[in-house]
Amino acid sequence: MSVSLLLLCLSVFGASAFVLGRVRAAALSGGRSSSMHSRLGYHGAYAAIWAVLPALALVCVWLIVSPIMIDRVVTKSFPEEVRSLPQAELNLSYGMVRSIARGMRMLESQELADVDGGKADLQLLLAQKGVPLAVRPTGYMIDAANKYNGMREASRMVMSAAAIALSLLCAARGLRAIAPRFRARNRVEQVILGALIVASSIAVLTTVGIVVSMLSEAARFFSMVPASEFFFGTVWDPRFAGAGTQTSGTFGLIPLLAGTIYIGLVAMLFAVPIGLFAAIYMAEYASARVRFIAKPMLEVLAGIPTIVYGFFALVTVGPFLRDISVEIDGLMTGDYKGFIEAQSVLTAGFVMGVMLIPYVSSLSDDIIMAVPRSLRDGSLGLGATRSETVKRVLLPAALPGIVGALLMTASRAIGETMIVVLAAGVAARMQLDPFEPMTTVTVKIVNQLTGDLEFTSPQTLVAFALGITLFFLTLCLNVYALYIVRRYREQYE
């Protein structure tokens, strides 16, 4: 039985348990619902929870543990010469076995018989089914794939039988517990509370998992490269020399950090004035009709994929700025060389600033609109103009929230990758000319992890050191933004 069909069965059992729970509670109440501690729906929900939740927990645990056990058994069936290979090659062989097993599940019985009889080429058949193989399958791979499929099917059958049996037993237990004074509502609400706690913990646990995994790999990198060389180095030159390389390369963070901050600063110089002015206009000056049309159109920019912004910078903005600089240079010096390169800090900063405009505008607009109406009316009633009200009342009142929004927008700019790759280049250098290319931390993370590489050399492990540094930088910005908002927000409530 497939997992989807099993989940459907559990859903049917849960719905049936709910109905039976209501019926049993109604029968025990004798037609007087006031004699029951909880309403009939709570008794039905209690029975449904017992019918579904334990079985669902069993399925989740089984789906996690079973593949691990199957992998170990199948790997042990490999020949001794294969099991003695390095871990990377052994993983590659096992990946081939899993691909063969997946493809063999797509074959018809006659096709499988032809393969067993040597009348058909398994590699060709699997390619026709959309499972291409890099090399021709060997005998032990086919045997291991058959064993993998057999164990997988047996595991699914046992899991389905165990889950259905557990669901029926637990449903009977839940129905038997229903009684007039049974506190079904309290039990159901406890389960709901537990579900809410688990849901709220997922984000926290995910963040902890990401940080722990990055820290563990970054620690391996710092065991090969001194932390002082990484954090205070001014030259970035990893010098890839192949997998397993433990020497060579210079891993200075300063050029990458300088490029990240520089490009982010240029982007904020474009985004903040335009976004803030747009927010002020829509909050205080625009009519309801204009606001209804302009605000959604402005926020459409936030939904455009960053790769589209990157292509826009590469194809339109970069060449446009380069051509403009050529014309200006020709008029001023007569030498039509130009002083702005197509890939430059200015190009990336401008396009990234366009991308950030809806973030600044939308957040600032919401913050300005949240200022109490009494402050506006009091200022206007004392004779102040609308512009004076905006400058001397609304903006000071909304300033903490606006500053927090700008800091959060800056953290968004620091983490951008695709625009920088296409608009600013990959040159890791320190310079102040906005017309020259630079690069950022995120771009180098992508570069270091591109390709089929092993995570055994500092050239690849440095990506985790860069990642944890970027994570810490954006975390500091977000925490400081939240501090500002919470520290000063109560003054204007």
Side-chain angles (χ1 to χ4, degrees), residues 164-465:
I164 291 174
L166 182 62
S167 177
L168 294 176
L169 290 175
C170 291
R173 190 259 181 232
L175 292 172
R176 190 167 55 248
I178 295 176
R181 304 313 301 166
F182 178 69
R183 299 176 178 270
R185 185 191 65 186
N186 297 27
R187 302 294 180 86
V188 172
E189 289 180 348
Q190 287 177 359
V191 173
I192 295 175
L193 178 61
L196 294 176
I197 293 175
V198 171
S200 61
S201 302
I202 290 177
V204 177
L205 295 177
T206 302
T207 303
V208 171
I210 292 173
V211 173
V212 170
S213 62
M214 292 177 63
L215 281 175
S216 61
E217 298 297 332
R220 293 175 58 194
F221 168 75
F222 288 122
S223 66
M224 304 175 188
V225 177
S228 59
E229 176 184 335
F230 174 74
F231 288 110
F232 302 105
T234 58
V235 177
W236 175 266
D237 185 16
R239 298 182 191 173
F240 271 104
T245 301
Q246 301 293 327
T247 60
S248 77
T250 305
F251 306 92
L253 175 66
I254 299 299
L256 307 183
L257 195 59
T260 301
I261 296 175
Y262 197 2
I263 294 175
L265 179 61
V266 173
M268 293 297 289
L269 289 177
F270 280 105
V272 171
I274 298 175
L276 191 56
F277 291 161
I280 293 173
Y281 172 75
M282 287 189 294
E284 297 300 321
Y285 293 97
S287 62
R289 179 177 178 82
V290 172
R291 177 183 172 84
F292 178 78
I293 297 174
K295 187 174 175 64
M297 291 183 64
L298 186 61
E299 292 179 349
V300 166
L301 293 174
I304 299 177
T306 57
I307 186 65
V308 176
Y309 282 108
F311 278 122
F312 175 66
L314 182 66
V315 176
T316 304
V317 177
F320 174 77
L321 294 177
R322 180 195 58 201
D323 295 342
I324 288 293
S325 69
V326 169
E327 295 296 331
I328 295 175
D329 197 17
L331 293 175
M332 297 181 62
T333 64
D335 187 3
Y336 291 86
K337 290 184 178 180
F339 52 88
I340 302 178
E341 296 189 20
Q343 289 186 321
S344 63
V345 173
L346 181 62
T347 303
F350 174 77
V351 177
M352 193 186 300
V354 174
M355 181 196 70
L356 296 177
I357 286 174
Y359 294 94
V360 178
S361 174
S362 181
L363 292 174
S364 301
D365 178 44
D366 294 339
I367 293 167
I368 293 174
M369 292 295 293
V371 175
R373 185 70 190 179
S374 58
L375 294 180
R376 294 179 175 85
D377 296 340
S379 175
L380 296 174
L382 291 173
T385 63
R386 187 177 294 273
S387 61
E388 290 173 338
T389 301
V390 170
K391 288 185 296 183
R392 299 187 180 183
V393 177
L394 297 182
L395 287 183
L399 186 60
I402 292 175
V403 172
L406 296 184
L407 290 175
M408 291 183 180
T409 305
S411 66
R412 174 69 179 84
I414 290 174
E416 177 54 40
T417 304
M418 295 310 303
I419 293 176
V420 182
V421 170
L422 298 177
V426 295
R429 55 185 179 180
M430 299 176 60
Q431 49 94 17
L432 295 177
D433 189 354
F435 306 140
E436 296 291 331
M438 291 182 73
T439 193
T440 63
V441 172
T442 55
V443 173
K444 288 306 176 182
I445 292 176
V446 174
N447 288 345
Q448 300 307 117
L449 297 181
T450 300
D452 188 11
L453 303 171
E454 297 181 13
F455 295 101
T456 57
S457 66
Q459 284 81 5
T460 51
L461 294 175
V462 68
F464 296 96

Side-chain angles (χ1 to χ4, degrees), residues 6 8 15 37 48 63-64 68 88 90 105 113 144 146 167 189 204 212 215 229 384 389 392 410 425 437 463 468:
L6 177 59
L8 179 61
H37 174 274
L63 291 176
I64 294 174
I68 299 175
L90 183 60
R105 293 196 295 269
N146 288 324
S167 177
E189 289 180 348
V204 177
V212 170
L215 281 175
E229 176 184 335
T389 301
R392 299 187 180 183
I468 198 67

